[in-house]
Amino acid sequence: DLKSEMNKTRKLPLKKDTRASDSSQEDAIDQWARRRKQFKDSKKCSSTGGSSINSTITEGSLNSEDARSVDLGLYSENEDRGFYTENFHSASWVFRGDDVSPDNSPRCLSKRPRPVAIRERTVKIAKGTGSYPWGFRIQFSKPILVTEVDTNSAAEEAGLQVGDILIAVNGTDVTSMPHSEAANLARKGPDILTMIVGSDISRYPNTPRPTCRGYLHKRTQSAILKGWRKRWFVLKHNGYLHYYKHKKDEGKCRPLEVTKLEGAEIGVDTSLGKPFVFKCIPQAGNRIFYFCATSNQEMKRWLEAMDKAVHPIHQNHVWVDVTLHNTTLPPLAIKNPECLGLLHQLDRSKDVWIQHYCILKDGCLYFYATLRSTPAQGGLYLQGYIVSEQSLGSKRSVIELKPPSEEFKTFYLCAENVNENKRWITALKASINKWLPLHQAIQDFMNRPLEETRM
């Protein structure tokens, strides 16, 4: 509403009668000011609770926490369109599918040609010169795998990646073809090599994103209040730095400020004559933040985590692609769901239960408004969550989804009856069990008998 009022103000027509024009503009500006005050008052009264949407808050011209302005651009804590993915991004996860026996390895650690979820795409590579005109290698296997992509080659420029599966070469299916025949197809074809390739979700463990939390002293530069204030800082997995007045406020109150670190300039500062001081200059705006740690070790810990947020690895994990594609489908178009039906989710900020039509597939719970809704409203990445049945308030049977760490959110769901709850709990446990932390998968693989290990 506020943005529409601002747009109306910008689009006021210019009239010949200057007085009438000035009057209409003043009325619009007054109306905008009233709406802005209502918006700020409503923000003060509201509670964030379990919401994943926050306002981006920046300090105003006085650089004071008490005189801050609101940037109305909303951002999600997770950039993946409506999905809660923080726990997924906090560690490296690999997919083992239905092979939950400890004697079996996840597909990323085995040679078994059984990809489960494939993202297909077309890659066109211009033929170069020399012995390797396209700049990539393929493996003696079925399906054929890309094992190497030359740096600065045409293949790299076209987006070919190590681990890609060759599905078709110049229009011919090669999924059952020896790799030598596929190579001949490429050599005898035109100078533009056209391939359909796919990526198995288990072959690309995601890169964990940085996180850090703790007390720091923040320098206040307002004209009214000067000095250093102790604040509780939280660097999220999405690269945003939040800070609160106290540690207990995290998750219960809105942050005093949220700053995007990507592209920022950070480093040690000695200009203030105080030890363990470092600064941050965000890419947007002209503000400089000064922080003071309690020790050199603590300062290094923050600088290392912030540096990773400043220079993030933009890795497009295949599972993210798969789930975002699924959100564009009607609920019943998602293939082989593990469970489906109505679920109520607790909105803890309003203490109300919101009904969704839900689809469970490979550790992802998709939320739809109704059975006929498209696209999905969003969902949860459930890697690492623990599922149990609890009583909550007046409800004696509630599904609790508890994260492995307190820094992530706990979710409460409820089906139509107790039997439905049990059906969902069984399905959720089995679906979550399809994923393993990468370190555990590697350890399990190394513990296998030596005669089964292939190098």
Side-chain angles (χ1 to χ4, degrees):
D1 291 337
L2 179 54
K3 286 185 177 179
S4 65
E5 292 297 337
M6 293 171 66
N7 290 333
K8 288 178 184 178
T9 304
R10 295 191 187 102
K11 296 176 182 178
L12 285 172
L14 294 175
K15 299 179 181 179
K16 291 182 180 179
D17 186 349
T18 307
R19 292 182 181 178
S21 176
D22 291 343
S23 175
S24 61
Q25 287 188 15
E26 288 174 3
D27 291 341
I29 291 171
D30 290 341
Q31 188 176 6
W32 175 84
R34 289 194 297 271
R35 298 299 294 272
R36 183 175 188 274
K37 185 177 186 301
Q38 292 173 5
F39 178 84
K40 292 182 72 174
D41 291 341
S42 67
K43 284 294 180 186
K44 291 178 183 177
C45 297
S46 65
S47 172
T48 56
S51 174
S52 63
I53 305 295
N54 292 323
S55 294
T56 304
I57 301 175
T58 56
E59 294 191 11
S61 57
L62 293 178
N63 292 329
S64 167
E65 292 172 4
D66 299 322
R68 57 182 183 267
S69 61
V70 178
D71 176 3
L72 297 180
L74 294 179
Y75 75 90
S76 170
E77 282 190 359
N78 310 288
E79 62 274 49
D80 306 317
R81 196 187 351 165
F83 278 85
Y84 183 77
T85 64
E86 272 202 302
N87 192 44
F88 178 77
H89 290 312
S90 70
S92 293
W93 299 90
V94 295
F95 188 75
R96 60 176 174 178
D98 298 317
D99 301 323
V100 295
S101 168
D103 296 329
N104 294 323
S105 303
R107 291 180 179 83
C108 65
L109 300 177
S110 67
K111 301 294 184 183
R112 287 173 296 163
R114 292 172 50 199
V116 175
I118 294 293
R119 173 193 61 183
E120 293 184 9
R121 65 190 192 281
T122 300
V123 175
K124 294 185 177 182
I125 307 173
K127 187 175 182 179
T129 58
S131 303
Y132 306 103
W134 291 288
F136 68 95
R137 312 285 190 278
I138 55 178
Q139 179 176 286
F140 299 84
S141 63
K142 287 187 180 181
I144 302 166
L145 293 177
V146 176
T147 56
E148 186 177 349
V149 177
D150 296 343
T151 304
N152 299 324
S153 65
E156 183 182 61
E157 186 177 345
L160 194 67
Q161 298 178 0
V162 173
D164 279 341
I165 300 166
L166 264 61
I167 299 172
V169 175
N170 291 331
T172 302
D173 188 296
V174 297
T175 52
S176 303
M177 188 180 291
H179 94 286
S180 57
E181 292 184 24
N184 287 332
L185 273 177
R187 294 190 187 102
K188 294 177 181 178
D191 288 345
I192 301 295
L193 174 62
T194 302
M195 300 188 300
I196 297 177
V197 299
S199 301
D200 182 352
I201 62 174
S202 65
R203 292 187 180 273
Y204 290 98
N206 56 302
T207 302
R209 300 181 184 176
T211 182
C212 197
R213 52 189 8 97
Y215 278 109
L216 290 171
H217 283 84
K218 170 184 162 291
R219 190 186 186 205
T220 303
Q221 297 174 301
S222 76
I224 303 172
L225 299 171
K226 294 184 178 180
W228 296 84
R229 290 184 179 181
K230 188 178 180 180
R231 294 289 180 254
W232 177 256
F233 284 85
V234 178
L235 175 57
K236 293 274 192 174
H237 295 285
N238 60 3
Y240 282 84
L241 183 66
H242 301 230
Y243 77 84
Y244 305 83
K245 193 171 184 179
H246 304 290
K247 179 180 179 179
K248 64 181 181 181
D249 295 338
E250 182 185 348
K252 297 180 180 178
C253 303
R254 288 188 177 277
L256 296 174
E257 186 159 0
V258 179
T259 304
K260 183 179 179 180
L261 293 189
E262 183 176 355
E265 179 184 338
I266 61 169
V268 178
D269 184 85
T270 58
S271 64
L272 301 178
K274 188 177 176 69
F276 318 133
V277 172
F278 57 101
K279 64 182 178 181
C280 173
I281 308 175
Q283 195 173 38
N286 55 1
R287 184 128 176 257
I288 303 178
F289 292 90
Y290 292 94
F291 308 108
C292 183
T294 55
S295 66
N296 190 52
Q297 183 179 359
E298 182 73 359
M299 181 180 70
K300 286 183 177 179
R301 182 174 76 92
W302 275 101
L303 285 174
E304 287 176 5
M306 291 173 72
D307 184 66
K308 292 178 181 177
V310 169
H311 306 100
I313 300 173
H314 291 290
Q315 184 185 30
N316 198 20
H317 190 268
V318 182
W319 186 228
V320 175
D321 284 356
V322 171
T323 52
L324 290 184
H325 169 71
N326 286 345
T327 62
T328 66
L329 303 175
L332 300 183
I334 297 179
K335 296 179 181 178
N336 304 318
E338 293 145 20
C339 201
L340 50 84
L342 292 175
L343 281 176
H344 299 263
Q345 181 194 0
L346 176 62
D347 183 344
R348 303 181 72 180
S349 65
K350 301 176 182 177
D351 196 25
V352 296
W353 292 85
I354 301 173
Q355 180 177 284
H356 304 286
Y357 190 84
C358 296
I359 302 287
L360 176 65
K361 172 69 174 174
D362 293 338
C364 183
L365 187 63
Y366 300 86
F367 290 152
Y368 291 85
T370 67
L371 175 60
R372 295 178 176 82
S373 298
T374 303
Q377 296 172 318
L380 307 177
Y381 279 23
L382 297 173
Q383 288 84 353
Y385 271 80
I386 298 172
V387 187
S388 64
E389 187 176 23
Q390 304 288 342
S391 60
L392 188 68
S394 60
K395 295 183 180 292
R396 63 185 181 91
S397 178
V398 172
I399 304 168
E400 182 187 63
L401 296 171
K402 191 172 183 179
S405 172
E406 292 182 357
E407 66 180 297
F408 306 120
K409 295 177 184 175
T410 299
F411 294 92
Y412 294 95
L413 306 169
C414 186
E416 297 298 309
N417 53 58
V418 175
N419 290 333
E420 276 291 285
N421 270 352
K422 291 180 178 178
R423 180 175 74 92
W424 273 102
I425 288 173
T426 301
L428 286 164
K429 287 181 177 178
S431 190
I432 293 171
N433 202 32
K434 291 184 177 184
W435 291 85
L436 276 180
L438 179 61
H439 66 86
Q440 182 183 334
I442 293 174
Q443 187 63 45
D444 291 349
F445 184 75
M446 297 303 293
N447 288 340
R448 294 173 60 186
L450 292 177
E451 59 269 22
E452 295 182 11
T453 302
R454 298 182 182 181
M455 302 297 293

